[in-house]
């Protein structure tokens, strides 16, 4: 097999055609009242975290893919805290003080305190991916780190501190190059299992040095063999068993990066979607018992509209067209459109990127963290895309892109189309850095969703949602009793007059990140919710009716059984 360096080799005419097509829907007219505003408030938060990829100039491939972040309420005080992953010194790098991951406690009013030391979560390993979930069902969220090198499981002690329980849990996963991770209840037995994606077979001895036009560049991932991912079944006693082969996942090597678990076929169990770099994407369909069949090709999720594999990075899901089925958005490499896969409801997907304008602005960029988020609470989900090249010297040999890039905000126009409003959505969207992981949650509990971005080799970005309108909203937090405590995998349906919305609780998503344990539903001008329905994984259905808007509702399993 011939392997090319990871540089763009797309024919020029193809670039031109894609560029014209991807931008043709960018200038759709918007109502005068339509506006989303994201303000950069990083300085006022007190957060000084700065990412490092641990590089020494030798350009090890792992440097390009660090890292994700996690947004979650670690101390159960009602607000969302921030956990940043960090790199570590690679071979040839000397440091006086090893970098580490950082946990910032949300103190309210946009002030955060670094509590890494007292919490005990300052891992000094090489951070790549993270997922958060209550694996022991004791009422507080635990952290799993998918590293380059041994992985780490931190058990939450319930008092603001964590304990490293990796060894007794059996989830260290050897010495892999990690990527995204998710907790999910794959066998519907009431506890959370664990899926850890593995990127590629790299070691210092296998390092490949590459150049283009005489300039050093990071190697194409195809210089390194793909690996199957790892699946751990929760034994219910604090330990896990590696069931990768038994589950069927271990039969499929790939260059896994972003990952999200969701019920795409509405059959009541959780499936797994893998964004594979430089190869076809995987869709592991769950039979309900934790056995998976790879359906990427048959479903239409493996390749884009042209039948091409992409340099896929992150993947997230959401019902962008409010038809009751989860759709998927996948970010990718330069001169490849980030791709919107519409769920057709019959087990297949259609690449509707060009039809909807959902790839607008993405073609010249390398795209990473992403999500479907209703930023203006108007009842449909917009798309946020984090951008930044992985070749830090790309300007020296390619005048069409830059290492630091502007992130992208695509507004949902309500008729299945998107328009790029990045330049007119506040100073938070004008920041140019090389972004990786991104997370989306209501950091100030004011009813709209804010943004946190991890930037490679730089400070993080915290964007406050300052959108002004009189739209209503509903936030839903789940508490499982018979099923897993966080309600991971549960499907929530919200009905308000003519509007019906769905969402699911995910643990791990986007680009190697975690966010959104609370579910957010924009309602527009509708001033009452007629019905909220929760379908628990492996459990029953709870229904509450006549719910007031613009509030956070906690639904406990079994209290409102249908």
């Amino acid at each position: 097999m011939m392997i090319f360096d990871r540089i763009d080799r797309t024919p020029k005419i193809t670039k031109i055609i894609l560029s014209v097509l991807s931008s043709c829907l960018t200038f759709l007219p918007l109502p005068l009242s339509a506006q989303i505003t994201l303000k950069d408030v990083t300085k006022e938060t007190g957060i000084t975290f700065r990412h490092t990829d641990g590089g020494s100039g030798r350009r090890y491939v792992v440097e390009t893919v660090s890292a994700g972040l996690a947004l979650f309420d670690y101390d159960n005080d009602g607000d969302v805290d921030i956990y940043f992953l960090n790199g570590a010194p690679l071979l040839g790098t000397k440091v006086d003080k090893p970098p580490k991951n950082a946990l910032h406690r949300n103190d309210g009013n946009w002030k955060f305190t670094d509590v890494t030391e007292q919490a005990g979560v300052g891992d000094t390993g090489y951070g790549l991916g993270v997922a958060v979930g209550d694996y022991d069902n004791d009422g507080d969220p635990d952290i799993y780190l998918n590293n380059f090198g041994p992985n780490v499981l931190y058990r939450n002690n319930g008092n603001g501190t964590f304990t490293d329980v990796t060894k007794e849990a059996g989830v260290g996963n050897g010495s892999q190059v990690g990527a995204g991770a998710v907790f999910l209840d794959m066998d519907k037995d009431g506890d959370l299992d664990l899926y850890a994606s593995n990127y590629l077979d790299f070691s210092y001895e296998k390092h490949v040095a590459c150049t283009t036009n005489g300039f050093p560049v990071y190697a194409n991932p195809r210089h390194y063999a793909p690996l199957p991912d790892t699946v751990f079944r929760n034994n219910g006693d604090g330990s896990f068993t590696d069931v990768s082969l038994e589950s069927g996942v271990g039969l499929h090597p790939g260059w896994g990066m972003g990952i999200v678990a969701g019920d795409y076929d509405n059959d009541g169990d959780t499936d797994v979607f893998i964004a594979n770099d430089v190869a076809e994407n995987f869709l592991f369909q769950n039979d309900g018992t934790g056995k998976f069949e790879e359906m990427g090709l048959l479903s239409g999720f493996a390749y884009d509209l042209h039948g091409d594999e992409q340099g896929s990075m992150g993947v997230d899901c959401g019902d962008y067209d409010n038809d009751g089925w989860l759709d998927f958005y996948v970010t990718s490499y330069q001169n490849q459109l980030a791709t919107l896969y519409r769920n057709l409801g019959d087990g297949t997907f259609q690449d509707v990127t060009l039809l909807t304008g959902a790839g607008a602005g993405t073609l010249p960029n390398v795209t990473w963290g992403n999500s479907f988020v209703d930023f203006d609470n108007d009842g449909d989900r917009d798309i946020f895309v984090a951008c930044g090249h992985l070749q830090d010297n790309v300007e020296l040999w390619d005048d069409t892109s830059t290492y630091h890039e502007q992130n992208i905000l695509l507004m949902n126009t309500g008729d299945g189309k998107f328009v790029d409003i990045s330049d007119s959505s506040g100073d938070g969207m004008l920041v140019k850095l090389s972004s990786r992981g991104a997370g989306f949650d209501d950091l100030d509990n004011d009813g709209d969703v804010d943004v946190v971005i991890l930037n490679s080799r730089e400070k993080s970005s915290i964007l406050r949602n300052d959108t002004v309108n009189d739209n209503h909203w509903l936030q839903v937090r789940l508490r499982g009793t018979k099923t897993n405590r966080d309600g991971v995998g549960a499907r929530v349906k919200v009905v308000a007059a003519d509007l019906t919305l769905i969402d699911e609780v995910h643990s791990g998503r986007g680009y190697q990140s975690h966010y959104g344990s609370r579910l957010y539903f924009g309602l527009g001008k509708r001033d009452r919710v007629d019905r909220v329905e929760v379908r628990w994984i492996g459990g029953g259905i709870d229904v509450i009716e006549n719910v007031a808007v613009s509030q956070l509702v906690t639904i406990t399993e079994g209290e409102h059984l249908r």
Side-chain angles (χ1 to χ4, degrees):
M1 177 178 63
M2 182 174 292
I3 301 175
F4 294 103
D5 294 344
R6 188 165 188 163
I7 59 176
D8 175 47
R9 299 181 185 277
T10 310
K12 186 173 183 179
I13 186 62
T14 302
K15 295 182 189 178
I16 295 172
I17 293 171
L18 284 173
S19 181
V20 171
L21 289 174
S22 67
S23 62
C24 66
L25 291 173
T26 305
F27 303 104
L28 295 173
L30 286 175
L32 293 178
S33 60
Q35 183 179 359
I36 297 172
T37 302
L38 299 177
K39 180 176 178 57
D40 186 353
V41 295
T42 308
K43 290 183 179 179
E44 67 187 72
T45 65
I47 293 174
T48 59
F49 170 83
R50 190 181 186 93
H51 173 265
T52 176
D53 60 15
S56 63
R58 300 186 183 185
R59 299 182 181 274
Y60 298 117
V61 67
V62 295
E63 298 171 27
T64 66
V65 292
S66 177
L69 60 88
L71 305 183
F72 68 110
D73 185 3
Y74 88 96
D75 50 2
N76 285 331
D77 66 349
D79 50 35
V80 176
D81 311 296
I82 305 175
Y83 186 58
F84 294 107
L85 271 60
N86 214 343
L90 298 172
L91 184 66
T93 301
K94 304 293 184 182
V95 297
D96 295 328
K97 185 178 181 181
K100 58 190 174 185
N101 297 349
L103 176 63
H104 290 80
R105 185 185 66 220
N106 189 337
D107 297 326
N109 297 315
W110 290 98
K111 301 298 180 184
F112 292 79
T113 300
D114 188 333
V115 294
T116 309
E117 292 303 319
Q118 50 264 54
V121 291
D123 183 48
T124 56
Y126 199 97
L128 294 169
V130 58
V132 174
D134 187 0
Y135 81 93
D136 51 2
N137 281 335
D138 66 349
D140 43 48
D142 312 297
I143 305 171
Y144 185 72
L145 303 176
N146 200 1
N147 290 338
F148 166 41
N151 292 349
V152 176
L153 176 62
Y154 285 119
R155 185 186 66 215
N156 193 324
N157 299 320
N159 60 1
T161 69
F162 293 77
T163 299
D164 182 343
V165 294
T166 311
K167 184 176 181 180
E168 48 262 56
V171 292
N173 203 29
S175 186
Q176 311 272 9
V177 177
V182 296
F183 284 102
L184 74 160
D185 186 358
M186 64 183 184
D187 48 8
K188 299 191 289 190
D189 65 350
D191 52 33
L192 292 177
D193 310 296
L194 178 60
Y195 188 116
S197 187
N198 300 312
Y199 183 34
L200 43 69
D201 185 13
F202 169 81
S203 65
Y204 292 120
E205 294 74 23
K206 296 177 181 178
H207 171 60
V208 177
C210 294
T211 62
T212 183
N213 296 335
F215 297 103
V217 296
Y218 288 98
N220 187 305
R222 285 189 176 273
H223 283 284
Y224 308 97
L227 295 172
D229 295 335
T230 307
V231 180
F232 296 101
R233 185 186 64 231
N234 193 328
N235 298 323
D237 59 1
S239 69
F240 292 77
T241 298
D242 186 336
V243 294
S244 304
L245 289 175
E246 176 186 333
S247 69
V249 169
L251 302 175
H252 300 275
W255 289 271
M257 297 194 77
I259 175 175
V260 68
D263 184 5
Y264 85 100
D265 49 4
N266 289 1
D267 66 351
D269 54 44
T270 304
D271 313 295
V272 180
F273 290 74
I274 306 294
N276 277 317
D277 197 359
V278 299
E280 69 276 12
N281 298 320
F282 290 157
L283 189 174
F284 289 111
Q285 184 185 51
N286 193 344
D287 71 354
T289 70
K291 300 294 195 325
F292 295 92
E293 182 178 2
E294 206 289 291
M295 301 289 288
L297 181 60
L298 292 178
S299 69
F301 181 72
Y303 302 101
D304 68 8
L305 176 67
H306 312 287
D308 294 331
E309 73 274 5
Q310 298 198 3
S312 299
M313 305 295 188
V315 56
D316 195 25
C317 59
D319 183 11
Y320 84 93
D321 53 0
N322 293 341
D323 67 349
W325 298 86
L326 290 177
D327 311 294
F328 290 78
Y329 193 79
V330 183
T331 51
S332 57
Y333 196 65
Q334 179 188 5
N335 287 311
Q336 299 171 347
L337 294 174
T339 306
L340 174 59
Y341 292 96
R342 180 172 180 261
N343 192 330
L344 300 181
D346 59 1
T348 67
F349 295 87
Q350 178 187 5
D351 178 349
V352 294
T353 309
L354 297 178
L355 293 175
T356 62
T362 65
L363 191 66
N365 300 317
V366 181
T367 52
W368 304 84
N370 65 305
S371 194
F372 294 96
V373 180
D374 187 355
F375 286 106
D376 50 3
N377 285 331
D378 65 348
D380 51 48
R381 296 182 181 274
D382 314 297
I383 297 175
F384 187 99
V385 182
C387 304
H389 214 287
L390 58 81
Q391 302 287 0
D392 56 4
N393 60 352
V394 63
E395 295 97 330
L396 298 177
W397 42 270
D398 183 351
D399 61 5
T400 68
S401 190
T402 57
Y403 179 61
H404 289 159
E405 297 172 352
Q406 183 180 349
N407 296 325
I408 297 171
L409 178 56
L410 304 174
M411 174 182 278
N412 192 327
T413 62
D415 58 356
K417 303 292 192 299
F418 294 87
V419 58
D420 186 349
I421 60 170
S422 308
D423 291 336
S424 59
S425 297
D427 63 5
M429 293 306 303
L430 302 180
V431 176
K432 289 187 177 182
L433 293 168
S434 189
S435 301
R436 296 295 186 268
F440 309 86
D441 264 303
D442 185 359
L443 297 179
D444 53 358
N445 290 331
D446 68 345
D448 51 35
V449 178
D450 311 294
V451 185
V452 181
I453 304 164
L454 185 143
N455 300 303
S456 180
R457 304 180 183 176
E458 270 288 355
K459 64 181 181 179
S460 58
S461 299
I462 318 296
L463 310 184
R464 185 179 66 208
N465 191 337
D466 282 352
T467 303
V468 177
N469 58 43
D470 57 358
N471 288 339
H472 299 298
W473 49 272
L474 186 73
Q475 297 181 10
V476 177
R477 177 173 55 204
L478 301 183
R479 290 291 177 260
T481 53
K482 295 180 181 179
T483 63
N484 73 85
R485 175 74 176 181
D486 293 335
V488 173
R491 170 71 65 94
V492 176
K493 179 190 291 185
V494 172
V495 180
D498 61 325
L499 180 67
T500 299
L501 304 170
I502 66 158
D503 204 356
E504 292 182 359
V505 181
H506 306 288
S507 172
R509 61 198 300 186
Y511 182 70
Q512 303 180 178
S513 294
H514 173 94
Y515 53 87
S517 297
R518 285 186 290 185
L519 302 182
Y520 302 98
F521 299 92
L523 302 173
K525 308 305 180 186
R526 301 162 187 87
D527 59 4
R528 190 152 196 87
V529 171
D530 300 307
R531 175 185 176 94
V532 179
E533 177 181 303
V534 182
R535 185 183 72 186
W536 305 88
I537 285 290
I541 297 175
D542 278 279
V543 176
I544 57 175
E545 297 180 329
N546 299 318
V547 180
V549 299
S550 300
Q551 65 164 326
L552 169 64
V553 175
T554 299
I555 301 176
T556 301
E557 183 181 9
E559 289 190 349
H560 307 276
L561 281 178
R562 187 173 69 176

